[in-house]
PDB file of all heavy atoms in Angstrom:
ATOM      1  N   PRO A   1      13.281  76.731  23.530  1.00  0.00           N
ATOM      2  CA  PRO A   1      12.024  77.482  23.618  1.00  0.00           C
ATOM      3  C   PRO A   1      10.922  76.793  22.833  1.00  0.00           C
ATOM      4  O   PRO A   1      11.157  76.109  21.841  1.00  0.00           O
ATOM      5  CB  PRO A   1      12.392  78.840  22.993  1.00  0.00           C
ATOM      6  CG  PRO A   1      13.529  78.529  22.079  1.00  0.00           C
ATOM      7  CD  PRO A   1      14.318  77.426  22.730  1.00  0.00           C
ATOM      8  N   GLN A   2       9.693  76.970  23.301  1.00  0.00           N
ATOM      9  CA  GLN A   2       8.532  76.479  22.570  1.00  0.00           C
ATOM     10  C   GLN A   2       8.172  77.474  21.487  1.00  0.00           C
ATOM     11  O   GLN A   2       8.038  78.680  21.734  1.00  0.00           O
ATOM     12  CB  GLN A   2       7.357  76.296  23.526  1.00  0.00           C
ATOM     13  CG  GLN A   2       7.531  75.157  24.523  1.00  0.00           C
ATOM     14  CD  GLN A   2       7.415  73.809  23.849  1.00  0.00           C
ATOM     15  OE1 GLN A   2       6.602  73.597  22.969  1.00  0.00           O
ATOM     16  NE2 GLN A   2       8.275  72.889  24.246  1.00  0.00           N
ATOM     17  N   VAL A   3       8.018  76.968  20.259  1.00  0.00           N
ATOM     18  CA  VAL A   3       7.749  77.848  19.123  1.00  0.00           C
ATOM     19  C   VAL A   3       6.331  77.606  18.603  1.00  0.00           C
ATOM     20  O   VAL A   3       5.724  76.571  18.863  1.00  0.00           O
ATOM     21  CB  VAL A   3       8.769  77.622  17.980  1.00  0.00           C
ATOM     22  CG1 VAL A   3      10.173  78.002  18.445  1.00  0.00           C
ATOM     23  CG2 VAL A   3       8.737  76.177  17.509  1.00  0.00           C
ATOM     24  N   ARG A   4       5.809  78.594  17.887  1.00  0.00           N
ATOM     25  CA  ARG A   4       4.494  78.464  17.300  1.00  0.00           C
ATOM     26  C   ARG A   4       4.559  77.565  16.079  1.00  0.00           C
ATOM     27  O   ARG A   4       5.309  77.831  15.132  1.00  0.00           O
ATOM     28  CB  ARG A   4       3.920  79.829  16.908  1.00  0.00           C
ATOM     29  CG  ARG A   4       2.462  79.778  16.454  1.00  0.00           C
ATOM     30  CD  ARG A   4       1.936  81.174  16.190  1.00  0.00           C
ATOM     31  NE  ARG A   4       2.506  81.744  14.978  1.00  0.00           N
ATOM     32  CZ  ARG A   4       1.990  81.548  13.752  1.00  0.00           C
ATOM     33  NH1 ARG A   4       0.890  80.838  13.600  1.00  0.00           N
ATOM     34  NH2 ARG A   4       2.547  82.114  12.711  1.00  0.00           N
ATOM     35  N   VAL A   5       3.802  76.486  16.105  1.00  0.00           N
ATOM     36  CA  VAL A   5       3.798  75.509  15.013  1.00  0.00           C
ATOM     37  C   VAL A   5       2.638  75.823  14.073  1.00  0.00           C
ATOM     38  O   VAL A   5       1.479  75.940  14.521  1.00  0.00           O
ATOM     39  CB  VAL A   5       3.685  74.062  15.555  1.00  0.00           C
ATOM     40  CG1 VAL A   5       3.637  73.058  14.419  1.00  0.00           C
ATOM     41  CG2 VAL A   5       4.842  73.765  16.491  1.00  0.00           C
ATOM     42  N   ILE A   6       2.937  75.965  12.804  1.00  0.00           N
ATOM     43  CA  ILE A   6       1.910  76.237  11.801  1.00  0.00           C
ATOM     44  C   ILE A   6       1.368  74.904  11.305  1.00  0.00           C
ATOM     45  O   ILE A   6       2.103  74.072  10.774  1.00  0.00           O
ATOM     46  CB  ILE A   6       2.494  77.044  10.624  1.00  0.00           C
ATOM     47  CG1 ILE A   6       3.090  78.357  11.147  1.00  0.00           C
ATOM     48  CG2 ILE A   6       1.423  77.314   9.581  1.00  0.00           C
ATOM     49  CD1 ILE A   6       3.808  79.156  10.073  1.00  0.00           C
ATOM     50  N   PRO A   7       0.077  74.635  11.519  1.00  0.00           N
ATOM     51  CA  PRO A   7      -0.485  73.336  11.135  1.00  0.00           C
ATOM     52  C   PRO A   7      -0.675  73.216   9.630  1.00  0.00           C
ATOM     53  O   PRO A   7      -0.453  74.179   8.859  1.00  0.00           O
ATOM     54  CB  PRO A   7      -1.823  73.302  11.881  1.00  0.00           C
ATOM     55  CG  PRO A   7      -2.227  74.738  11.957  1.00  0.00           C
ATOM     56  CD  PRO A   7      -0.938  75.521  12.128  1.00  0.00           C
ATOM     57  N   ALA A   8      -1.081  72.026   9.201  1.00  0.00           N
ATOM     58  CA  ALA A   8      -1.349  71.793   7.784  1.00  0.00           C
ATOM     59  C   ALA A   8      -2.535  72.643   7.333  1.00  0.00           C
ATOM     60  O   ALA A   8      -3.509  72.827   8.056  1.00  0.00           O
ATOM     61  CB  ALA A   8      -1.629  70.319   7.535  1.00  0.00           C
ATOM     62  N   GLY A   9      -2.434  73.170   6.127  1.00  0.00           N
ATOM     63  CA  GLY A   9      -3.504  74.001   5.587  1.00  0.00           C
ATOM     64  C   GLY A   9      -2.930  75.165   4.805  1.00  0.00           C
ATOM     65  O   GLY A   9      -1.822  75.152   4.306  1.00  0.00           O
ATOM     66  N   GLY A  10      -3.682  76.223   4.744  1.00  0.00           N
ATOM     67  CA  GLY A  10      -3.279  77.408   4.020  1.00  0.00           C
ATOM     68  C   GLY A  10      -4.375  77.891   3.077  1.00  0.00           C
ATOM     69  O   GLY A  10      -5.496  77.365   3.083  1.00  0.00           O
ATOM     70  N   PRO A  11      -4.088  78.885   2.318  1.00  0.00           N
ATOM     71  CA  PRO A  11      -2.779  79.533   2.180  1.00  0.00           C
ATOM     72  C   PRO A  11      -2.480  80.474   3.346  1.00  0.00           C
ATOM     73  O   PRO A  11      -3.375  81.056   3.920  1.00  0.00           O
ATOM     74  CB  PRO A  11      -2.900  80.293   0.871  1.00  0.00           C
ATOM     75  CG  PRO A  11      -4.357  80.605   0.739  1.00  0.00           C
ATOM     76  CD  PRO A  11      -5.070  79.443   1.331  1.00  0.00           C
ATOM     77  N   TYR A  12      -1.197  80.536   3.685  1.00  0.00           N
ATOM     78  CA  TYR A  12      -0.689  81.457   4.686  1.00  0.00           C
ATOM     79  C   TYR A  12       0.132  82.547   3.985  1.00  0.00           C
ATOM     80  O   TYR A  12       0.495  82.424   2.816  1.00  0.00           O
ATOM     81  CB  TYR A  12       0.182  80.718   5.706  1.00  0.00           C
ATOM     82  CG  TYR A  12      -0.545  79.623   6.449  1.00  0.00           C
ATOM     83  CD1 TYR A  12      -0.306  78.285   6.139  1.00  0.00           C
ATOM     84  CD2 TYR A  12      -1.430  79.908   7.465  1.00  0.00           C
ATOM     85  CE1 TYR A  12      -0.962  77.258   6.824  1.00  0.00           C
ATOM     86  CE2 TYR A  12      -2.091  78.908   8.171  1.00  0.00           C
ATOM     87  CZ  TYR A  12      -1.848  77.581   7.834  1.00  0.00           C
ATOM     88  OH  TYR A  12      -2.508  76.586   8.505  1.00  0.00           O
ATOM     89  N   PHE A  13       0.413  83.586   4.745  1.00  0.00           N
ATOM     90  CA  PHE A  13       1.167  84.716   4.171  1.00  0.00           C
ATOM     91  C   PHE A  13       2.374  85.020   5.036  1.00  0.00           C
ATOM     92  O   PHE A  13       2.333  84.919   6.270  1.00  0.00           O
ATOM     93  CB  PHE A  13       0.267  85.962   4.095  1.00  0.00           C
ATOM     94  CG  PHE A  13       0.990  87.161   3.560  1.00  0.00           C
ATOM     95  CD1 PHE A  13       1.241  87.301   2.205  1.00  0.00           C
ATOM     96  CD2 PHE A  13       1.440  88.150   4.426  1.00  0.00           C
ATOM     97  CE1 PHE A  13       1.918  88.411   1.716  1.00  0.00           C
ATOM     98  CE2 PHE A  13       2.103  89.254   3.955  1.00  0.00           C
ATOM     99  CZ  PHE A  13       2.352  89.386   2.590  1.00  0.00           C
ATOM    100  N   LYS A  14       3.467  85.370   4.370  1.00  0.00           N
ATOM    101  CA  LYS A  14       4.673  85.803   5.069  1.00  0.00           C
ATOM    102  C   LYS A  14       5.232  87.041   4.368  1.00  0.00           C
ATOM    103  O   LYS A  14       5.119  87.218   3.151  1.00  0.00           O
ATOM    104  CB  LYS A  14       5.731  84.689   5.066  1.00  0.00           C
ATOM    105  CG  LYS A  14       6.330  84.356   3.708  1.00  0.00           C
ATOM    106  CD  LYS A  14       7.390  83.285   3.830  1.00  0.00           C
ATOM    107  CE  LYS A  14       8.024  82.995   2.478  1.00  0.00           C
ATOM    108  NZ  LYS A  14       8.795  84.147   1.979  1.00  0.00           N
ATOM    109  N   TRP A  15       5.847  87.880   5.174  1.00  0.00           N
ATOM    110  CA  TRP A  15       6.490  89.084   4.646  1.00  0.00           C
ATOM    111  C   TRP A  15       7.897  88.761   4.153  1.00  0.00           C
ATOM    112  O   TRP A  15       8.440  87.688   4.464  1.00  0.00           O
ATOM    113  CB  TRP A  15       6.563  90.155   5.723  1.00  0.00           C
ATOM    114  CG  TRP A  15       5.219  90.694   6.134  1.00  0.00           C
ATOM    115  CD1 TRP A  15       4.521  90.420   7.250  1.00  0.00           C
ATOM    116  CD2 TRP A  15       4.408  91.587   5.376  1.00  0.00           C
ATOM    117  NE1 TRP A  15       3.328  91.081   7.287  1.00  0.00           N
ATOM    118  CE2 TRP A  15       3.240  91.821   6.121  1.00  0.00           C
ATOM    119  CE3 TRP A  15       4.561  92.220   4.131  1.00  0.00           C
ATOM    120  CZ2 TRP A  15       2.213  92.655   5.671  1.00  0.00           C
ATOM    121  CZ3 TRP A  15       3.542  93.071   3.695  1.00  0.00           C
ATOM    122  CH2 TRP A  15       2.397  93.265   4.454  1.00  0.00           C
ATOM    123  N   PRO A  16       8.489  89.619   3.391  1.00  0.00           N
ATOM    124  CA  PRO A  16       9.822  89.331   2.829  1.00  0.00           C
ATOM    125  C   PRO A  16      10.872  89.072   3.924  1.00  0.00           C
ATOM    126  O   PRO A  16      11.837  88.345   3.692  1.00  0.00           O
ATOM    127  CB  PRO A  16      10.152  90.574   2.014  1.00  0.00           C
ATOM    128  CG  PRO A  16       8.816  91.156   1.657  1.00  0.00           C
ATOM    129  CD  PRO A  16       7.913  90.855   2.810  1.00  0.00           C
ATOM    130  N   TRP A  17      10.704  89.690   5.072  1.00  0.00           N
ATOM    131  CA  TRP A  17      11.701  89.483   6.134  1.00  0.00           C
ATOM    132  C   TRP A  17      11.404  88.255   6.998  1.00  0.00           C
ATOM    133  O   TRP A  17      12.068  88.017   7.999  1.00  0.00           O
ATOM    134  CB  TRP A  17      11.763  90.730   7.025  1.00  0.00           C
ATOM    135  CG  TRP A  17      10.423  91.160   7.551  1.00  0.00           C
ATOM    136  CD1 TRP A  17       9.779  90.715   8.650  1.00  0.00           C
ATOM    137  CD2 TRP A  17       9.544  92.126   6.964  1.00  0.00           C
ATOM    138  NE1 TRP A  17       8.576  91.309   8.811  1.00  0.00           N
ATOM    139  CE2 TRP A  17       8.397  92.194   7.786  1.00  0.00           C
ATOM    140  CE3 TRP A  17       9.625  92.943   5.824  1.00  0.00           C
ATOM    141  CZ2 TRP A  17       7.338  93.055   7.498  1.00  0.00           C
ATOM    142  CZ3 TRP A  17       8.570  93.787   5.530  1.00  0.00           C
ATOM    143  CH2 TRP A  17       7.439  93.836   6.383  1.00  0.00           C
ATOM    144  N   GLU A  18      10.399  87.484   6.581  1.00  0.00           N
ATOM    145  CA  GLU A  18      10.067  86.269   7.293  1.00  0.00           C
ATOM    146  C   GLU A  18      10.443  85.051   6.425  1.00  0.00           C
ATOM    147  O   GLU A  18      10.440  85.119   5.194  1.00  0.00           O
ATOM    148  CB  GLU A  18       8.569  86.218   7.620  1.00  0.00           C
ATOM    149  CG  GLU A  18       8.114  87.318   8.547  1.00  0.00           C
ATOM    150  CD  GLU A  18       6.615  87.283   8.786  1.00  0.00           C
ATOM    151  OE1 GLU A  18       5.898  86.692   7.942  1.00  0.00           O
ATOM    152  OE2 GLU A  18       6.153  87.859   9.789  1.00  0.00           O
ATOM    153  N   ARG A  19      10.746  83.944   7.124  1.00  0.00           N
ATOM    154  CA  ARG A  19      11.128  82.711   6.428  1.00  0.00           C
ATOM    155  C   ARG A  19      10.387  81.542   7.057  1.00  0.00           C
ATOM    156  O   ARG A  19      10.213  81.499   8.286  1.00  0.00           O
ATOM    157  CB  ARG A  19      12.632  82.487   6.506  1.00  0.00           C
ATOM    158  CG  ARG A  19      13.098  81.239   5.761  1.00  0.00           C
ATOM    159  CD  ARG A  19      14.600  81.118   5.826  1.00  0.00           C
ATOM    160  NE  ARG A  19      15.047  79.882   5.180  1.00  0.00           N
ATOM    161  CZ  ARG A  19      16.324  79.481   5.116  1.00  0.00           C
ATOM    162  NH1 ARG A  19      17.281  80.252   5.665  1.00  0.00           N
ATOM    163  NH2 ARG A  19      16.627  78.357   4.506  1.00  0.00           N
ATOM    164  N   VAL A  20       9.948  80.617   6.230  1.00  0.00           N
ATOM    165  CA  VAL A  20       9.156  79.481   6.688  1.00  0.00           C
ATOM    166  C   VAL A  20       9.992  78.199   6.537  1.00  0.00           C
ATOM    167  O   VAL A  20      10.549  77.924   5.464  1.00  0.00           O
ATOM    168  CB  VAL A  20       7.838  79.347   5.898  1.00  0.00           C
ATOM    169  CG1 VAL A  20       7.090  78.084   6.324  1.00  0.00           C
ATOM    170  CG2 VAL A  20       6.981  80.593   6.089  1.00  0.00           C
ATOM    171  N   TYR A  21      10.071  77.422   7.634  1.00  0.00           N
ATOM    172  CA  TYR A  21      10.766  76.136   7.635  1.00  0.00           C
ATOM    173  C   TYR A  21       9.701  75.036   7.740  1.00  0.00           C
ATOM    174  O   TYR A  21       8.949  74.993   8.712  1.00  0.00           O
ATOM    175  CB  TYR A  21      11.728  76.031   8.816  1.00  0.00           C
ATOM    176  CG  TYR A  21      12.877  77.012   8.751  1.00  0.00           C
ATOM    177  CD1 TYR A  21      12.732  78.315   9.210  1.00  0.00           C
ATOM    178  CD2 TYR A  21      14.123  76.627   8.239  1.00  0.00           C
ATOM    179  CE1 TYR A  21      13.788  79.216   9.160  1.00  0.00           C
ATOM    180  CE2 TYR A  21      15.183  77.517   8.177  1.00  0.00           C
ATOM    181  CZ  TYR A  21      15.010  78.801   8.642  1.00  0.00           C
ATOM    182  OH  TYR A  21      16.061  79.702   8.593  1.00  0.00           O
ATOM    183  N   LYS A  22       9.672  74.154   6.755  1.00  0.00           N
ATOM    184  CA  LYS A  22       8.723  73.048   6.731  1.00  0.00           C
ATOM    185  C   LYS A  22       9.442  71.721   7.010  1.00  0.00           C
ATOM    186  O   LYS A  22      10.551  71.504   6.505  1.00  0.00           O
ATOM    187  CB  LYS A  22       8.013  72.951   5.389  1.00  0.00           C
ATOM    188  CG  LYS A  22       7.220  74.181   4.989  1.00  0.00           C
ATOM    189  CD  LYS A  22       6.573  74.002   3.622  1.00  0.00           C
ATOM    190  CE  LYS A  22       5.819  75.230   3.172  1.00  0.00           C
ATOM    191  NZ  LYS A  22       5.182  75.047   1.841  1.00  0.00           N
ATOM    192  N   VAL A  23       8.807  70.900   7.808  1.00  0.00           N
ATOM    193  CA  VAL A  23       9.359  69.568   8.108  1.00  0.00           C
ATOM    194  C   VAL A  23       8.223  68.552   8.017  1.00  0.00           C
ATOM    195  O   VAL A  23       7.066  68.876   8.328  1.00  0.00           O
ATOM    196  CB  VAL A  23      10.015  69.502   9.496  1.00  0.00           C
ATOM    197  CG1 VAL A  23      11.223  70.407   9.562  1.00  0.00           C
ATOM    198  CG2 VAL A  23       9.005  69.844  10.574  1.00  0.00           C
ATOM    199  N   THR A  24       8.538  67.343   7.588  1.00  0.00           N
ATOM    200  CA  THR A  24       7.559  66.282   7.563  1.00  0.00           C
ATOM    201  C   THR A  24       7.485  65.597   8.914  1.00  0.00           C
ATOM    202  O   THR A  24       8.518  65.359   9.544  1.00  0.00           O
ATOM    203  CB  THR A  24       7.896  65.263   6.458  1.00  0.00           C
ATOM    204  OG1 THR A  24       6.944  64.182   6.515  1.00  0.00           O
ATOM    205  CG2 THR A  24       9.288  64.705   6.643  1.00  0.00           C
ATOM    206  N   VAL A  25       6.272  65.328   9.360  1.00  0.00           N
ATOM    207  CA  VAL A  25       6.069  64.657  10.645  1.00  0.00           C
ATOM    208  C   VAL A  25       5.585  63.226  10.454  1.00  0.00           C
ATOM    209  O   VAL A  25       5.163  62.563  11.418  1.00  0.00           O
ATOM    210  CB  VAL A  25       5.068  65.442  11.514  1.00  0.00           C
ATOM    211  CG1 VAL A  25       5.635  66.772  11.934  1.00  0.00           C
ATOM    212  CG2 VAL A  25       3.735  65.618  10.795  1.00  0.00           C
ATOM    213  N   ALA A  26       5.637  62.720   9.227  1.00  0.00           N
ATOM    214  CA  ALA A  26       5.249  61.340   8.960  1.00  0.00           C
ATOM    215  C   ALA A  26       6.309  60.388   9.495  1.00  0.00           C
ATOM    216  O   ALA A  26       7.506  60.705   9.571  1.00  0.00           O
ATOM    217  CB  ALA A  26       5.037  61.116   7.465  1.00  0.00           C
ATOM    218  N   THR A  27       5.874  59.193   9.870  1.00  0.00           N
ATOM    219  CA  THR A  27       6.798  58.179  10.374  1.00  0.00           C
ATOM    220  C   THR A  27       7.655  57.669   9.244  1.00  0.00           C
ATOM    221  O   THR A  27       7.156  57.322   8.157  1.00  0.00           O
ATOM    222  CB  THR A  27       6.018  57.006  11.007  1.00  0.00           C
ATOM    223  OG1 THR A  27       5.220  57.511  12.087  1.00  0.00           O
ATOM    224  CG2 THR A  27       6.981  55.958  11.538  1.00  0.00           C
ATOM    225  N   GLN A  28       8.958  57.587   9.474  1.00  0.00           N
ATOM    226  CA  GLN A  28       9.912  57.141   8.469  1.00  0.00           C
ATOM    227  C   GLN A  28      10.672  55.924   8.980  1.00  0.00           C
ATOM    228  O   GLN A  28      10.885  55.767  10.183  1.00  0.00           O
ATOM    229  CB  GLN A  28      10.897  58.267   8.125  1.00  0.00           C
ATOM    230  CG  GLN A  28      10.228  59.553   7.677  1.00  0.00           C
ATOM    231  CD  GLN A  28      11.228  60.658   7.360  1.00  0.00           C
ATOM    232  OE1 GLN A  28      12.131  60.481   6.548  1.00  0.00           O
ATOM    233  NE2 GLN A  28      11.058  61.810   7.990  1.00  0.00           N
ATOM    234  N   THR A  29      11.063  55.071   8.040  1.00  0.00           N
ATOM    235  CA  THR A  29      11.806  53.855   8.358  1.00  0.00           C
ATOM    236  C   THR A  29      13.229  53.989   7.841  1.00  0.00           C
ATOM    237  O   THR A  29      13.447  54.446   6.719  1.00  0.00           O
ATOM    238  CB  THR A  29      11.134  52.618   7.749  1.00  0.00           C
ATOM    239  OG1 THR A  29       9.803  52.525   8.224  1.00  0.00           O
ATOM    240  CG2 THR A  29      11.880  51.346   8.144  1.00  0.00           C
ATOM    241  N   LEU A  30      14.176  53.573   8.674  1.00  0.00           N
ATOM    242  CA  LEU A  30      15.584  53.732   8.328  1.00  0.00           C
ATOM    243  C   LEU A  30      16.349  52.480   8.758  1.00  0.00           C
ATOM    244  O   LEU A  30      16.093  51.936   9.830  1.00  0.00           O
ATOM    245  CB  LEU A  30      16.155  54.980   9.000  1.00  0.00           C
ATOM    246  CG  LEU A  30      17.584  55.382   8.631  1.00  0.00           C
ATOM    247  CD1 LEU A  30      17.669  55.788   7.162  1.00  0.00           C
ATOM    248  CD2 LEU A  30      18.063  56.540   9.505  1.00  0.00           C
ATOM    249  N   ASN A  31      17.272  52.044   7.902  1.00  0.00           N
ATOM    250  CA  ASN A  31      18.156  50.945   8.266  1.00  0.00           C
ATOM    251  C   ASN A  31      19.072  51.387   9.393  1.00  0.00           C
ATOM    252  O   ASN A  31      19.729  52.422   9.288  1.00  0.00           O
ATOM    253  CB  ASN A  31      18.962  50.530   7.029  1.00  0.00           C
ATOM    254  CG  ASN A  31      19.898  49.363   7.318  1.00  0.00           C
ATOM    255  OD1 ASN A  31      19.858  48.778   8.400  1.00  0.00           O
ATOM    256  ND2 ASN A  31      20.732  49.028   6.363  1.00  0.00           N
ATOM    257  N   MET A  32      19.098  50.603  10.488  1.00  0.00           N
ATOM    258  CA  MET A  32      19.882  51.031  11.626  1.00  0.00           C
ATOM    259  C   MET A  32      21.391  51.044  11.375  1.00  0.00           C
ATOM    260  O   MET A  32      22.141  51.654  12.125  1.00  0.00           O
ATOM    261  CB  MET A  32      19.575  50.149  12.846  1.00  0.00           C
ATOM    262  CG  MET A  32      19.978  48.706  12.701  1.00  0.00           C
ATOM    263  SD  MET A  32      19.819  47.794  14.260  1.00  0.00           S
ATOM    264  CE  MET A  32      18.119  48.087  14.690  1.00  0.00           C
ATOM    265  N   ALA A  33      21.829  50.376  10.307  1.00  0.00           N
ATOM    266  CA  ALA A  33      23.254  50.383   9.966  1.00  0.00           C
ATOM    267  C   ALA A  33      23.617  51.553   9.052  1.00  0.00           C
ATOM    268  O   ALA A  33      24.789  51.709   8.690  1.00  0.00           O
ATOM    269  CB  ALA A  33      23.647  49.059   9.291  1.00  0.00           C
ATOM    270  N   PHE A  34      22.660  52.373   8.704  1.00  0.00           N
ATOM    271  CA  PHE A  34      22.918  53.500   7.802  1.00  0.00           C
ATOM    272  C   PHE A  34      23.656  54.616   8.549  1.00  0.00           C
ATOM    273  O   PHE A  34      23.268  54.997   9.660  1.00  0.00           O
ATOM    274  CB  PHE A  34      21.600  54.043   7.250  1.00  0.00           C
ATOM    275  CG  PHE A  34      21.744  55.328   6.501  1.00  0.00           C
ATOM    276  CD1 PHE A  34      22.376  55.362   5.265  1.00  0.00           C
ATOM    277  CD2 PHE A  34      21.247  56.515   7.015  1.00  0.00           C
ATOM    278  CE1 PHE A  34      22.508  56.550   4.571  1.00  0.00           C
ATOM    279  CE2 PHE A  34      21.376  57.710   6.337  1.00  0.00           C
ATOM    280  CZ  PHE A  34      22.004  57.732   5.109  1.00  0.00           C
ATOM    281  N   ASP A  35      24.732  55.101   7.924  1.00  0.00           N
ATOM    282  CA  ASP A  35      25.505  56.212   8.482  1.00  0.00           C
ATOM    283  C   ASP A  35      25.284  57.437   7.596  1.00  0.00           C
ATOM    284  O   ASP A  35      25.738  57.459   6.457  1.00  0.00           O
ATOM    285  CB  ASP A  35      26.996  55.857   8.551  1.00  0.00           C
ATOM    286  CG  ASP A  35      27.788  56.883   9.344  1.00  0.00           C
ATOM    287  OD1 ASP A  35      27.356  58.047   9.441  1.00  0.00           O
ATOM    288  OD2 ASP A  35      28.849  56.532   9.894  1.00  0.00           O
ATOM    289  N   PRO A  36      24.583  58.480   8.071  1.00  0.00           N
ATOM    290  CA  PRO A  36      24.306  59.647   7.220  1.00  0.00           C
ATOM    291  C   PRO A  36      25.552  60.372   6.765  1.00  0.00           C
ATOM    292  O   PRO A  36      25.539  61.031   5.713  1.00  0.00           O
ATOM    293  CB  PRO A  36      23.440  60.539   8.113  1.00  0.00           C
ATOM    294  CG  PRO A  36      22.882  59.632   9.154  1.00  0.00           C
ATOM    295  CD  PRO A  36      23.941  58.600   9.392  1.00  0.00           C
ATOM    296  N   GLU A  37      26.647  60.292   7.515  1.00  0.00           N
ATOM    297  CA  GLU A  37      27.860  61.013   7.158  1.00  0.00           C
ATOM    298  C   GLU A  37      28.775  60.202   6.255  1.00  0.00           C
ATOM    299  O   GLU A  37      29.546  60.775   5.462  1.00  0.00           O
ATOM    300  CB  GLU A  37      28.620  61.423   8.419  1.00  0.00           C
ATOM    301  CG  GLU A  37      27.875  62.453   9.254  1.00  0.00           C
ATOM    302  CD  GLU A  37      28.702  62.899  10.445  1.00  0.00           C
ATOM    303  OE1 GLU A  37      29.293  62.040  11.111  1.00  0.00           O
ATOM    304  OE2 GLU A  37      28.751  64.116  10.696  1.00  0.00           O
ATOM    305  N   ASP A  38      28.719  58.863   6.343  1.00  0.00           N
ATOM    306  CA  ASP A  38      29.584  58.021   5.520  1.00  0.00           C
ATOM    307  C   ASP A  38      28.799  56.800   5.081  1.00  0.00           C
ATOM    308  O   ASP A  38      28.661  55.826   5.837  1.00  0.00           O
ATOM    309  CB  ASP A  38      30.812  57.600   6.343  1.00  0.00           C
ATOM    310  CG  ASP A  38      31.825  56.824   5.512  1.00  0.00           C
ATOM    311  OD1 ASP A  38      31.617  56.712   4.281  1.00  0.00           O
ATOM    312  OD2 ASP A  38      32.822  56.328   6.079  1.00  0.00           O
TER     313      ASP A  38
END
């Protein structure tokens, strides 16, 4: 499903029964031989 994306800025408000998930959208570099699990 398409979700509502909260853009950069604020302050925003949330109620106690609400939870906010933040993720970075900046470009990241990773070694292709890196194994996140091992």
Side-chain angles (χ1 to χ4, degrees):
Q2 291 288 320
V3 296
R4 187 176 72 87
V5 178
I6 302 174
Y12 300 105
F13 178 78
K14 68 178 182 66
W15 293 104
W17 52 85
E18 297 176 339
R19 182 178 177 182
V20 176
Y21 294 84
K22 300 179 182 181
V23 295
T24 177
V25 292
T27 301
Q28 304 179 55
T29 303
L30 186 65
N31 181 7
M32 65 171 55
F34 171 70
D35 190 335
E37 293 184 316
D38 185 6

